[in-house]
Amino acid sequence: SLNDELMAVPEGFTVHRKLERGRERRKAMFASSTERTIDWATAEELALAAALTDGVPVRFTGEDVERGTFSHRHAVYRDAVSGEKHIPLQRLSTAKASFEIRNSPLSEYACVGFELGYNLQQPNTLILWEAQYGDFINGAQIVLDEYLVSGRAKWGMAPSLVLLLPHGYEGQGPDHSSARLERFLNAAADTNMRVANCTTAAQYFHLLRRQAALLTTDPLPLVVMTPKSLLRHPFTASTPMELAEGTFQHVIDDPAGEDIAGKVRRLALCSGKVAVDLLTSERRKDNPNVAVVRVEQLYPFPDQAIRDLLTRYPKLRDVCWVQEEPENMGAWEFVRPLLESIVDGKLPLRYIGRSRNSSPSEGSSSWHAANQRAIEIGRAHV
């Protein structure tokens, strides 16, 4: 019912013809409860609609947030003839709270500081700020270090600001690849925030729903490494039933699960886009001895969930951490001591990913492609 209402437009409103095909697809997404039809943007809008229906106000700002940097969101429609605005989330008949969405200037320091202040003054509001590319969070580093990640310990604050930071290696160069996951994890301590890197629309839906539900009982900042190319990737799509049932999963086992449990010799732990690359690789069918496990929440680290998962694979010979980022970046330096404690010397622990580097990624698309292929075939350092 929420989806139907979000797809309605005021009488006489002219939707741009280029958007009609996507809207028709969106209207048909709930025809089957078991088909993987729900994409990332739909899951996000439905999560926010559900929060409004629950009486949680939502403020959503960021760099190009109204349409989404990758033209995936369309939270604000413009009449193709008159230019009149239509914001579906402001017209929900079931909403018990307000919804606000605004594009913010390209000044991360000012905008993230403002949103954090707004968040502290309105703790019952779900406040989200999205970077155009996750790399741009660099510009707000002082706000993050001084207040967001240490606010509770230093100032007695209880922030719950959500940062949506597009992250993932698509060969677009050093300034359009990394949201600097390592910086957040380096500051992770005393349960001061939540850091997630989801791989499905349903996971993102439940993550936002959880954040809205915990605003008054367990407020923490939420940092999400959101996707770029995965926004429309078939693998990330979810079924309507996956949104209606279940909850956020901290760790997701290999989809093959019990079918390969007795054959698996290597466990590849990873997070985000690289996990989808491995699971959809054409080489996967030739490597039934490798299980790919997704760590969807990196902090607080799901220690027990990973320990439980290791027991499902009795013939393991080694455990690997696989990432796209250079060895001195990404999650590796954070997870290494935690994984060493889990394997406890009983299994070798290996790293597969780019070699240490001063730059977040290559400046050459051909080098990027070569390094991605090397990661896919399991070379330890590329």
Side-chain angles (χ1 to χ4, degrees), residues 278-324:
L278 295 179
L279 288 166
T280 59
S281 169
E282 60 185 21
R283 295 183 177 89
R284 180 159 162 78
K285 63 180 181 298
D286 300 322
N287 293 274
N289 61 327
V290 178
V292 179
V293 171
R294 289 166 278 169
V295 181
E296 302 276 294
Q297 179 173 290
L298 289 157
Y299 188 79
F301 190 68
D303 182 281
Q304 191 56 51
I306 294 176
R307 290 180 186 275
D308 293 343
L309 190 139
L310 287 177
T311 64
R312 302 177 196 174
Y313 298 102
K315 297 184 179 179
L316 274 183
R317 292 180 181 171
D318 70 343
V319 175
C320 302
W321 179 262
V322 186
Q323 67 179 37
E324 297 178 289

Side-chain angles (χ1 to χ4, degrees), residues 261-280:
K263 304 174 185 176
V264 170
R265 302 293 185 273
R266 168 173 290 177
L267 190 68
L269 292 164
C270 45
S271 190
K273 178 181 175 291
V274 71
V276 177
D277 289 344
L278 295 179
L279 288 166
T280 59

Side-chain angles (χ1 to χ4, degrees), residues 26-45:
R26 171 80 179 265
K27 291 174 184 177
M29 282 182 177
F30 288 85
S32 167
S33 63
T34 56
E35 287 187 26
R36 294 174 63 177
T37 55
I38 308 296
D39 60 22
W40 197 271
T42 301
E44 176 186 83
E45 190 171 34

Side-chain angles (χ1 to χ4, degrees), residues 70-95:
F70 310 98
S71 300
H72 62 287
R73 180 175 292 119
H74 301 297
V76 178
Y77 288 96
R78 295 259 183 192
D79 189 298
V81 178
S82 68
E84 180 186 352
K85 266 187 181 182
H86 166 57
I87 303 176
L89 283 166
Q90 288 184 350
R91 291 176 173 262
L92 283 178
S93 62
T94 55

Side-chain angles (χ1 to χ4, degrees), residues 84-156:
E84 180 186 352
K85 266 187 181 182
H86 166 57
I87 303 176
L89 283 166
Q90 288 184 350
R91 291 176 173 262
L92 283 178
S93 62
T94 55
K96 300 184 183 70
S98 64
F99 175 76
E100 180 181 13
I101 185 164
R102 297 184 187 276
N103 288 335
S104 66
L106 294 175
S107 174
E108 297 80 16
Y109 185 30
C111 293
V112 173
F114 181 87
E115 297 305 329
L116 177 60
Y118 197 113
N119 170 218
L120 294 171
Q121 290 295 315
Q122 298 291 332
N124 296 334
T125 299
L126 179 63
I127 300 176
L128 310 96
W129 182 85
E130 181 177 66
Q132 196 168 51
Y133 286 86
D135 313 61
F136 300 170
I137 196 63
N138 279 343
Q141 196 64 43
I142 297 172
V143 177
L144 305 181
D145 290 344
E146 287 295 321
Y147 299 106
L148 186 75
V149 301
S150 61
R152 185 182 297 268
K154 288 168 65 175
W155 313 110

